[in-house]
Amino acid sequence: MGRTSDAKEKLLQVAFELIWQQSYGSVSVDDICERAKVKKGSFYYFFPSKSDLAVAAYEEHWQCNRPKYDRVFSPLVPPLERIDTYCKLLYEGQKAKQEKTGRVLGCPFASVGSELSTQDEKIRQKSQEMFDRMCKYLENTLRDAHKEGLIEKQDFSAKASAIFCLVMGMLLQAKVKNDSEVLRNLGPIVLQMIGATVPA
Amino acid sequence: MGRTSDAKEKLLQVAFELIWQQSYGSVSVDDICERAKVKKGSFYYFFPSKSDLAVAAYEEHWQCNRPKYDRVFSPLVPPLERIDTYCKLLYEGQKAKQEKTGRVLGCPFASVGSELSTQDEKIRQKSQEMFDRMCKYLENTLRDAHKEGLIEKQDFSAKASAIFCLVMGMLLQAKVKNDSEVLRNLGPIVLQMIGATVPA
DNA sequence: TGTTAATTTAACTAAACAGTCAACTAAACA
DNA sequence: TGTTTAGTTGACTGTTTAGTTAAATTAACA
């Protein structure tokens, strides 16, 4: 009953995109509403605050992209290929965004986590959640790689975390240098880090 | 001639500290002035804009801390010890700040670079400058380590950059988890990454 | 088709924002 | 000691901010 609307979804999409391209602090509720073609009253009909919208937008983005990650890190794919594909997708994704916007945007979760972790507890938690999710993909991959005799036994949890930190740092470097090419060779760097034979 | 003042220095210090603890976007010129006990008119007597103050504050912080870095990375210190000391100082620094403020703050340059690189070109450049400076310290260290036969020949520039990315990512992880303990074992992780023998 | 309830709208608030300015003050120095 | 000038002050502007509200609209459904 009552009327239907895609305003909520539009707000989530636009918010994610705008905050990624700029920053949480520099994007206003009015900006988001204007781009989403939604009036401010509707905004506050759907979301209690700007911060709540941001959290919802990031969760929505994760839910939309989860199938993609599941595919990349599928147990059906050879372990080291998963990592290489993941790195390639990161590079290509950043490059594509750079071509569209003129700017390397880095990791959206890292950016918002870095900006707001000391300020907004809900956003901090969402950032941490993403961190843990990605580390799990990597940890599983490392375990599988070990089972297949591709890498030595090691602390897989710690190593997965270190890999993800390296990747986040690389994305930050790309953003700060506004140069996606620093990500070109990411795959081999990560593979070497886990002691895998790097393909020529 | 004319009167003297430490208002400028106070503004630089307070701005750095506040932006580090919160974020660029959430700290207002009024906040900075209040904490520095300086009137807004004086602020704009010394700095043309908030963004210019931020750039100056970050440069000032680097100039003040440069002697410390020069000591840590001194050629008189054995190469691998330099890296270990650097990692220890990072851990202790973050821990100390956490005890004071209740929050892990991460790397101030990475935070501001991550927040503003797509927005403010001057801040982007300052961030990149810091990135390059730190990478130079690390690259020199790697070259010296190789000269002393401690590590294999490799692409030292690329490896230095990768190490710094790992470190930045680790600091981000600590901030997002609000847990400085993830940095405890940073030294060995980095040493293992360059193929050095990790001390027991 | 009439009722219901979900959504939309525009006009509103009150606070916070970055930045301005002309008049004032006081330290340095000749 | 008087002049110079670097620095201070507080009151100001116009804009932008997040968030509110009450009345209007419209799609779904019985």
Side-chain angles (χ1 to χ4, degrees), chain B residues 31-107:
Chain B
D31 291 338
I32 294 166
C33 289
E34 196 188 330
R35 276 275 282 268
K37 281 168 196 163
V38 167
K39 293 284 149 50
K40 216 204 299 232
S42 291
F43 180 108
Y44 286 100
Y45 173 72
F46 291 113
F47 303 100
S49 74
K50 182 187 172 188
S51 156
D52 285 282
L53 165 74
V55 172
Y58 278 80
E59 180 59 23
E60 171 80 359
H61 186 263
W62 158 249
Q63 292 302 340
C64 289
N65 287 74
R66 192 188 166 140
K68 194 175 78 185
Y69 289 111
D70 281 339
R71 228 177 299 126
V72 172
F73 288 100
S74 161
L76 301 177
V77 177
L80 301 185
E81 198 182 309
R82 294 176 217 169
I83 290 178
D84 201 58
T85 305
Y86 173 56
C87 292
K88 276 207 175 71
L89 282 178
L90 282 179
Y91 166 58
E92 283 158 15
Q94 292 292 324
K95 203 171 142 189
K97 269 282 165 198
Q98 184 181 25
E99 276 157 15
K100 266 186 209 157
T101 66
R103 287 273 154 201
V104 176
L105 305 182
C107 170

Coordinates of all heavy atoms in Angstrom, one line a residue, chain B residues 31-107:
Chain B
D31 N 37.5 26.2 15.5 CA 38.0 25.2 16.5 C 39.5 25.4 16.7 O 40.0 25.5 17.8 CB 37.9 23.8 15.9 CG 36.4 23.3 15.9 OD1 35.6 23.9 16.7 OD2 36.1 22.4 15.1
I32 N 40.2 25.6 15.6 CA 41.7 25.8 15.6 C 42.0 27.1 16.4 O 42.9 27.1 17.3 CB 42.3 25.8 14.2 CG1 42.1 24.5 13.5 CG2 43.8 26.2 14.3 CD1 42.4 24.5 12.0
C33 N 41.3 28.1 16.1 CA 41.6 29.4 16.8 C 41.3 29.3 18.3 O 42.1 29.8 19.1 CB 40.7 30.5 16.2 SG 41.2 31.0 14.5
E34 N 40.2 28.6 18.6 CA 39.9 28.5 20.0 C 41.0 27.8 20.8 O 41.4 28.3 21.9 CB 38.5 27.8 20.2 CG 37.9 28.0 21.5 CD 36.7 27.1 21.7 OE1 36.0 26.8 20.7 OE2 36.4 26.7 22.9
R35 N 41.4 26.6 20.3 CA 42.4 25.8 21.0 C 43.8 26.5 21.0 O 44.6 26.3 21.9 CB 42.6 24.5 20.2 CG 41.5 23.5 20.7 CD 42.0 22.7 22.0 NE 43.0 21.7 21.7 CZ 42.7 20.4 21.5 NH1 41.4 20.0 21.5 NH2 43.6 19.6 21.2
A36 N 44.0 27.4 20.0 CA 45.3 28.0 19.9 C 45.3 29.4 20.7 O 46.3 30.0 20.8 CB 45.7 28.3 18.5
K37 N 44.1 29.7 21.1 CA 43.9 31.0 21.8 C 44.3 32.2 20.9 O 45.1 33.0 21.3 CB 44.6 31.0 23.2 CG 43.8 30.3 24.2 CD 44.6 30.0 25.5 CE 44.0 29.0 26.4 NZ 45.0 28.4 27.3
V38 N 43.9 32.1 19.7 CA 44.2 33.1 18.7 C 42.9 33.5 18.1 O 42.0 32.7 17.8 CB 45.2 32.5 17.6 CG1 45.3 33.4 16.4 CG2 46.5 32.3 18.2
K39 N 42.7 34.8 17.9 CA 41.5 35.3 17.2 C 41.5 35.1 15.7 O 42.6 35.0 15.1 CB 41.3 36.8 17.5 CG 41.0 37.0 19.0 CD 39.6 36.7 19.4 CE 39.5 36.2 20.9 NZ 40.1 37.0 21.9
K40 N 40.3 34.9 15.2 CA 40.2 34.6 13.8 C 40.9 35.6 12.8 O 41.5 35.2 11.8 CB 38.7 34.4 13.4 CG 38.6 33.3 12.3 CD 37.5 33.3 11.4 CE 36.1 33.3 12.1 NZ 35.3 32.2 11.6
G41 N 40.8 36.8 13.2 CA 41.5 37.9 12.4 C 43.0 37.6 12.3 O 43.6 37.8 11.3
S42 N 43.6 37.1 13.4 CA 45.0 36.8 13.4 C 45.3 35.6 12.5 O 46.3 35.6 11.8 CB 45.5 36.5 14.9 OG 45.5 37.7 15.6
F43 N 44.4 34.7 12.6 CA 44.5 33.5 11.7 C 44.7 34.0 10.3 O 45.6 33.6 9.6 CB 43.3 32.6 11.8 CG 43.3 31.4 11.0 CD1 43.5 30.1 11.5 CD2 43.1 31.5 9.6 CE1 43.5 29.0 10.7 CE2 43.2 30.3 8.8 CZ 43.4 29.1 9.3
Y44 N 43.8 34.8 9.8 CA 43.8 35.2 8.4 C 44.9 36.3 8.2 O 45.1 36.7 7.0 CB 42.4 35.7 7.9 CG 41.5 34.5 7.7 CD1 40.6 34.1 8.7 CD2 41.7 33.7 6.6 CE1 39.8 33.0 8.5 CE2 40.9 32.6 6.4 CZ 39.9 32.2 7.3 OH 39.1 31.1 7.1
Y45 N 45.5 36.8 9.2 CA 46.6 37.7 9.1 C 47.8 36.8 8.7 O 48.7 37.2 7.9 CB 46.9 38.4 10.4 CG 48.2 39.2 10.4 CD1 48.3 40.4 9.6 CD2 49.3 38.8 11.1 CE1 49.5 41.1 9.6 CE2 50.5 39.5 11.0 CZ 50.6 40.6 10.3 OH 51.8 41.3 10.3
F46 N 47.9 35.6 9.2 CA 49.0 34.7 9.0 C 48.8 33.8 7.8 O 49.8 33.4 7.1 CB 49.4 33.9 10.2 CG 50.0 34.7 11.3 CD1 49.3 34.9 12.5 CD2 51.2 35.3 11.2 CE1 49.8 35.6 13.6 CE2 51.8 36.0 12.2 CZ 51.1 36.2 13.4
F47 N 47.6 33.3 7.6 CA 47.4 32.3 6.6 C 46.2 32.7 5.7 O 45.2 33.2 6.2 CB 47.1 31.0 7.2 CG 48.2 30.5 8.1 CD1 48.0 30.6 9.5 CD2 49.3 29.9 7.5 CE1 49.0 30.1 10.3 CE2 50.3 29.4 8.4 CZ 50.2 29.6 9.8
P48 N 46.4 32.6 4.3 CA 45.3 33.0 3.4 C 44.1 32.1 3.5 O 43.0 32.6 3.1 CB 46.0 33.0 2.0 CG 47.2 32.1 2.2 CD 47.6 32.2 3.6
S49 N 44.2 30.9 3.9 CA 43.1 30.0 3.9 C 43.3 28.8 4.9 O 44.5 28.5 5.3 CB 42.7 29.5 2.6 OG 43.7 28.5 2.2
K50 N 42.3 28.1 5.2 CA 42.4 26.9 6.0 C 43.3 25.9 5.3 O 44.1 25.2 6.0 CB 41.0 26.3 6.2 CG 40.9 25.0 7.1 CD 39.5 24.5 7.0 CE 39.4 23.1 7.7 NZ 38.1 22.5 7.5
S51 N 43.1 25.7 4.0 CA 43.9 24.8 3.3 C 45.4 25.1 3.3 O 46.3 24.3 3.5 CB 43.4 24.7 1.8 OG 44.4 24.3 1.0
D52 N 45.7 26.4 3.2 CA 47.1 26.8 3.3 C 47.7 26.6 4.7 O 48.9 26.2 4.8 CB 47.2 28.3 3.0 CG 47.1 28.6 1.5 OD1 48.1 28.4 0.8 OD2 46.0 29.0 1.1
L53 N 46.9 26.8 5.7 CA 47.4 26.5 7.1 C 47.7 25.0 7.2 O 48.8 24.7 7.7 CB 46.3 26.9 8.1 CG 46.6 26.2 9.5 CD1 47.7 26.9 10.2 CD2 45.3 26.2 10.3
A54 N 46.8 24.2 6.7 CA 47.1 22.7 6.8 C 48.4 22.4 6.1 O 49.2 21.6 6.7 CB 45.9 22.0 6.1
V55 N 48.6 22.9 4.9 CA 49.8 22.5 4.2 C 51.0 23.0 5.0 O 52.0 22.3 5.2 CB 49.9 23.2 2.8 CG1 51.2 23.1 2.1 CG2 48.8 22.6 1.9
A56 N 51.0 24.2 5.5 CA 52.1 24.8 6.3 C 52.3 23.9 7.6 O 53.4 23.7 8.0 CB 51.8 26.2 6.7
A57 N 51.2 23.5 8.2 CA 51.2 22.7 9.5 C 51.9 21.4 9.2 O 52.8 21.0 10.0 CB 49.8 22.5 10.0
Y58 N 51.6 20.8 8.1 CA 52.2 19.5 7.8 C 53.7 19.7 7.5 O 54.5 18.8 7.9 CB 51.4 18.8 6.7 CG 50.2 18.0 7.3 CD1 49.1 18.7 7.6 CD2 50.3 16.7 7.6 CE1 48.0 18.1 8.2 CE2 49.2 16.1 8.3 CZ 48.1 16.8 8.6 OH 47.1 16.1 9.2
E59 N 54.1 20.7 6.7 CA 55.5 20.9 6.4 C 56.2 21.2 7.7 O 57.3 20.7 7.9 CB 55.6 22.1 5.4 CG 57.0 22.4 5.1 CD 57.8 21.3 4.4 OE1 57.2 20.4 3.9 OE2 59.1 21.3 4.5
E60 N 55.7 22.0 8.6 CA 56.3 22.4 9.9 C 56.5 21.1 10.7 O 57.6 20.9 11.2 CB 55.4 23.3 10.6 CG 55.8 23.6 12.1 CD 56.9 24.6 12.2 OE1 57.3 25.1 11.2 OE2 57.3 24.9 13.4
H61 N 55.5 20.2 10.7 CA 55.7 19.0 11.5 C 56.8 18.2 10.9 O 57.6 17.6 11.7 CB 54.4 18.2 11.4 CG 54.4 17.0 12.3 ND1 54.7 15.7 11.8 CD2 54.2 16.8 13.6 CE1 54.7 14.8 12.8 NE2 54.4 15.5 13.9
W62 N 56.9 18.1 9.6 CA 58.0 17.4 9.0 C 59.4 18.0 9.3 O 60.3 17.3 9.8 CB 57.9 17.3 7.5 CG 59.2 17.1 6.7 CD1 59.8 17.9 6.0 CD2 59.9 15.9 6.8 NE1 61.0 17.4 5.5 CE2 61.1 16.1 6.0 CE3 59.8 14.6 7.4 CZ2 62.1 15.1 5.8 CZ3 60.8 13.6 7.2 CH2 61.9 13.9 6.4
Q63 N 59.5 19.3 9.2 CA 60.7 20.0 9.6 C 61.1 19.7 11.0 O 62.3 19.5 11.3 CB 60.7 21.5 9.3 CG 60.5 21.8 7.8 CD 61.7 21.3 6.9 OE1 62.7 21.0 7.4 NE2 61.4 21.2 5.6
C64 N 60.2 19.7 11.9 CA 60.5 19.4 13.3 C 60.9 18.0 13.6 O 61.7 17.7 14.5 CB 59.2 19.7 14.2 SG 58.9 21.5 14.3
N65 N 60.4 17.1 12.8 CA 60.6 15.7 13.1 C 61.7 15.1 12.2 O 62.1 13.9 12.4 CB 59.4 14.8 12.9 CG 58.4 15.1 14.1 OD1 57.8 16.1 14.2 ND2 58.4 14.1 14.9
R66 N 62.2 15.9 11.3 CA 63.3 15.4 10.4 C 64.5 14.9 11.1 O 65.0 13.9 10.8 CB 63.6 16.6 9.4 CG 64.5 16.1 8.3 CD 65.0 17.3 7.5 NE 66.0 16.8 6.6 CZ 66.2 17.2 5.4 NH1 65.4 18.1 4.8 NH2 67.2 16.7 4.7
P67 N 65.0 15.7 12.1 CA 66.2 15.2 12.8 C 66.0 13.8 13.4 O 66.9 13.0 13.4 CB 66.3 16.2 13.9 CG 65.7 17.5 13.4 CD 64.5 17.0 12.6
K68 N 64.8 13.5 13.9 CA 64.5 12.2 14.5 C 64.6 11.1 13.4 O 65.3 10.1 13.6 CB 63.0 12.2 15.0 CG 62.7 11.0 15.9 CD 61.3 11.1 16.5 CE 60.2 10.7 15.5 NZ 58.9 11.0 16.1
Y69 N 64.1 11.4 12.2 CA 64.2 10.4 11.1 C 65.6 10.2 10.7 O 66.1 9.1 10.4 CB 63.3 10.8 9.9 CG 61.8 10.6 10.2 CD1 61.0 11.7 10.4 CD2 61.3 9.3 10.4 CE1 59.6 11.5 10.6 CE2 59.9 9.1 10.7 CZ 59.1 10.2 10.8 OH 57.8 10.1 11.1
D70 N 66.4 11.4 10.6 CA 67.8 11.3 10.3 C 68.6 10.4 11.2 O 69.5 9.7 10.8 CB 68.4 12.7 10.2 CG 68.0 13.5 8.9 OD1 67.6 12.8 7.9 OD2 68.0 14.7 8.9
R71 N 68.2 10.5 12.5 CA 68.8 9.7 13.5 C 68.5 8.2 13.3 O 69.4 7.4 13.3 CB 68.4 10.1 14.9 CG 69.5 10.4 15.9 CD 69.0 10.9 17.2 NE 68.3 12.2 17.1 CZ 67.1 12.4 17.5 NH1 66.4 11.5 18.2 NH2 66.6 13.6 17.4
V72 N 67.2 7.9 13.1 CA 66.8 6.5 13.0 C 67.5 5.9 11.8 O 67.9 4.7 11.8 CB 65.3 6.4 12.8 CG1 64.8 5.0 12.5 CG2 64.6 6.9 14.1
F73 N 67.5 6.7 10.7 CA 68.0 6.1 9.4 C 69.5 6.5 9.2 O 70.0 6.5 8.0 CB 67.2 6.5 8.2 CG 65.8 5.8 8.2 CD1 64.7 6.5 8.7 CD2 65.7 4.5 7.8 CE1 63.4 5.8 8.7 CE2 64.5 3.9 7.7 CZ 63.3 4.5 8.2
S74 N 70.2 6.9 10.2 CA 71.6 7.3 10.1 C 72.4 6.1 9.5 O 72.3 5.0 9.9 CB 72.1 7.7 11.5 OG 73.6 7.6 11.4
P75 N 73.4 6.4 8.6 CA 74.3 5.4 8.1 C 75.2 4.8 9.1 O 75.7 3.7 8.9 CB 75.2 6.2 7.1 CG 74.4 7.5 6.8 CD 73.6 7.8 8.0
L76 N 75.2 5.4 10.3 CA 76.0 4.8 11.4 C 75.3 3.6 12.0 O 75.9 2.8 12.7 CB 76.3 5.9 12.5 CG 77.1 7.1 11.9 CD1 77.2 8.1 13.1 CD2 78.4 6.7 11.4
V77 N 74.0 3.5 11.8 CA 73.2 2.4 12.4 C 73.2 1.3 11.4 O 73.0 1.5 10.2 CB 71.8 2.9 12.7 CG1 70.9 1.8 13.2 CG2 71.8 4.1 13.7
P78 N 73.4 0.0 11.8 CA 73.3 -1.1 10.9 C 71.9 -1.1 10.2 O 70.9 -0.9 10.9 CB 73.4 -2.3 11.9 CG 74.1 -1.8 13.1 CD 73.7 -0.4 13.2
P79 N 71.9 -1.4 8.9 CA 70.7 -1.2 8.1 C 69.4 -1.9 8.6 O 68.4 -1.2 8.8 CB 71.1 -1.8 6.7 CG 72.5 -1.8 6.7 CD 73.0 -1.8 8.1
L80 N 69.5 -3.1 9.0 CA 68.3 -3.8 9.4 C 67.8 -3.3 10.8 O 66.6 -3.3 11.1 CB 68.5 -5.3 9.5 CG 69.0 -6.0 8.2 CD1 69.0 -7.5 8.3 CD2 68.0 -5.6 7.1
E81 N 68.8 -2.8 11.6 CA 68.4 -2.1 12.8 C 67.6 -0.9 12.6 O 66.7 -0.5 13.4 CB 69.7 -1.9 13.7 CG 69.4 -1.6 15.1 CD 70.7 -1.3 15.9 OE1 71.7 -2.1 15.7 OE2 70.7 -0.3 16.6
R82 N 68.0 -0.1 11.5 CA 67.2 1.1 11.2 C 65.8 0.8 11.0 O 64.9 1.4 11.6 CB 67.8 1.7 9.9 CG 69.2 2.2 10.0 CD 69.6 2.7 8.6 NE 71.0 2.4 8.4 CZ 71.7 2.5 7.3 NH1 71.0 2.9 6.2 NH2 72.9 2.2 7.1
I83 N 65.5 -0.3 10.2 CA 64.1 -0.6 9.9 C 63.4 -1.1 11.2 O 62.3 -0.7 11.4 CB 64.1 -1.8 8.9 CG1 64.6 -1.2 7.5 CG2 62.7 -2.4 8.7 CD1 64.6 -2.2 6.4
D84 N 64.1 -1.9 12.0 CA 63.4 -2.4 13.2 C 63.1 -1.2 14.2 O 62.1 -1.1 14.7 CB 64.4 -3.4 13.9 CG 63.6 -4.3 14.8 OD1 62.6 -4.9 14.4 OD2 63.9 -4.3 16.0
T85 N 64.1 -0.3 14.3 CA 63.9 0.9 15.2 C 62.7 1.7 14.6 O 61.8 2.2 15.4 CB 65.1 1.8 15.2 OG1 66.2 0.9 15.6 CG2 64.9 2.9 16.2
Y86 N 62.7 1.9 13.3 CA 61.6 2.7 12.7 C 60.2 2.1 13.1 O 59.3 2.8 13.5 CB 61.8 2.7 11.2 CG 60.7 3.3 10.4 CD1 60.2 4.6 10.7 CD2 60.1 2.6 9.4 CE1 59.2 5.2 9.9 CE2 59.0 3.2 8.6 CZ 58.6 4.5 8.9 OH 57.6 5.0 8.2
C87 N 60.1 0.8 12.9 CA 58.9 0.1 13.2 C 58.5 0.2 14.7 O 57.3 0.4 15.0 CB 59.0 -1.4 12.8 SG 59.1 -1.6 11.0
K88 N 59.5 0.0 15.5 CA 59.3 0.1 17.0 C 58.8 1.5 17.3 O 57.8 1.7 18.1 CB 60.6 -0.2 17.7 CG 60.8 -1.6 18.0 CD 61.7 -1.8 19.2 CE 61.9 -3.3 19.5 NZ 62.8 -4.0 18.5
L89 N 59.4 2.5 16.7 CA 59.0 3.9 17.0 C 57.5 4.2 16.6 O 56.8 4.8 17.3 CB 59.9 4.9 16.4 CG 61.3 5.1 17.1 CD1 62.1 6.1 16.3 CD2 61.1 5.6 18.5
L90 N 57.2 3.6 15.4 CA 55.8 3.8 15.0 C 54.8 3.2 16.0 O 53.8 3.8 16.3 CB 55.6 3.1 13.6 CG 56.2 3.8 12.4 CD1 56.0 3.0 11.1 CD2 55.5 5.2 12.2
Y91 N 55.1 1.9 16.4 CA 54.3 1.2 17.3 C 54.1 2.0 18.6 O 53.0 2.3 19.1 CB 54.8 -0.2 17.6 CG 54.2 -0.9 18.8 CD1 52.9 -1.1 18.9 CD2 55.1 -1.3 19.8 CE1 52.3 -1.7 20.0 CE2 54.5 -1.9 20.9 CZ 53.2 -2.2 21.0 OH 52.6 -2.8 22.1
E92 N 55.3 2.4 19.1 CA 55.3 3.2 20.4 C 54.5 4.5 20.3 O 53.8 4.9 21.2 CB 56.7 3.4 21.0 CG 57.2 2.1 21.6 CD 58.7 2.1 21.6 OE1 59.4 3.1 21.4 OE2 59.3 1.0 21.8
G93 N 54.8 5.2 19.2 CA 54.1 6.5 18.9 C 52.6 6.3 18.9 O 51.9 7.1 19.5
Q94 N 52.1 5.3 18.2 CA 50.7 5.1 18.1 C 50.1 4.7 19.4 O 49.0 5.2 19.8 CB 50.4 4.0 17.0 CG 50.7 4.4 15.6 CD 49.8 5.5 15.1 OE1 48.6 5.6 15.4 NE2 50.4 6.4 14.3
K95 N 50.8 3.9 20.2 CA 50.4 3.4 21.5 C 50.3 4.6 22.4 O 49.3 4.8 23.2 CB 51.4 2.4 22.0 CG 50.8 1.5 23.0 CD 51.7 0.3 23.4 CE 51.7 0.0 24.8 NZ 52.8 -1.0 25.2
A96 N 51.3 5.5 22.4 CA 51.3 6.6 23.3 C 50.1 7.6 23.0 O 49.4 8.0 23.9 CB 52.6 7.4 23.2
K97 N 49.9 7.8 21.7 CA 48.8 8.7 21.3 C 47.4 8.0 21.7 O 46.5 8.7 22.1 CB 48.8 8.9 19.8 CG 49.6 10.1 19.3 CD 48.8 11.4 19.5 CE 49.7 12.6 19.4 NZ 49.1 13.8 20.0
Q98 N 47.4 6.7 21.6 CA 46.1 6.1 22.0 C 45.8 6.2 23.4 O 44.7 6.4 23.8 CB 46.2 4.6 21.6 CG 44.9 3.8 21.9 CD 45.0 2.3 21.5 OE1 46.1 1.8 21.5 NE2 43.9 1.7 21.3
E99 N 46.9 6.1 24.2 CA 46.7 6.3 25.7 C 46.3 7.7 26.0 O 45.5 7.9 26.9 CB 48.0 5.9 26.4 CG 48.1 4.4 26.6 CD 49.5 3.8 26.8 OE1 50.4 4.7 27.1 OE2 49.7 2.6 26.7
K100 N 46.8 8.6 25.3 CA 46.4 10.0 25.6 C 45.0 10.4 25.1 O 44.2 11.0 25.8 CB 47.4 11.0 24.9 CG 48.5 11.4 25.8 CD 49.4 12.5 25.0 CE 50.8 12.4 25.5 NZ 51.8 13.0 24.5
T101 N 44.7 9.9 23.9 CA 43.4 10.4 23.2 C 42.3 9.3 23.2 O 41.2 9.7 22.9 CB 43.7 10.8 21.8 OG1 44.0 9.6 21.0 CG2 44.8 11.8 21.7
G102 N 42.7 8.1 23.5 CA 41.7 7.0 23.5 C 41.5 6.5 22.1 O 40.6 5.6 21.9
R103 N 42.2 7.0 21.1 CA 42.0 6.6 19.8 C 43.4 6.3 19.1 O 44.3 7.1 19.3 CB 41.3 7.7 19.0 CG 39.9 7.8 19.3 CD 39.1 6.9 18.4 NE 37.8 6.6 19.1 CZ 37.1 5.5 18.7 NH1 37.5 4.7 17.8 NH2 36.0 5.2 19.4
V104 N 43.4 5.3 18.2 CA 44.6 5.1 17.4 C 44.4 6.1 16.2 O 43.4 6.0 15.5 CB 44.7 3.7 16.9 CG1 45.9 3.5 15.9 CG2 45.0 2.7 18.1
L105 N 45.4 6.9 15.9 CA 45.2 8.0 15.0 C 45.8 7.7 13.6 O 45.5 8.4 12.6 CB 45.8 9.3 15.5 CG 45.3 9.7 16.9 CD1 46.0 11.1 17.3 CD2 43.8 9.9 16.9
G106 N 46.6 6.7 13.5 CA 47.2 6.3 12.2 C 48.2 7.4 11.8 O 48.7 8.2 12.6
C107 N 48.6 7.3 10.5 CA 49.6 8.2 10.0 C 48.9 9.5 9.6 O 48.0 9.5 8.8 CB 50.3 7.6 8.7 SG 51.3 8.8 7.8

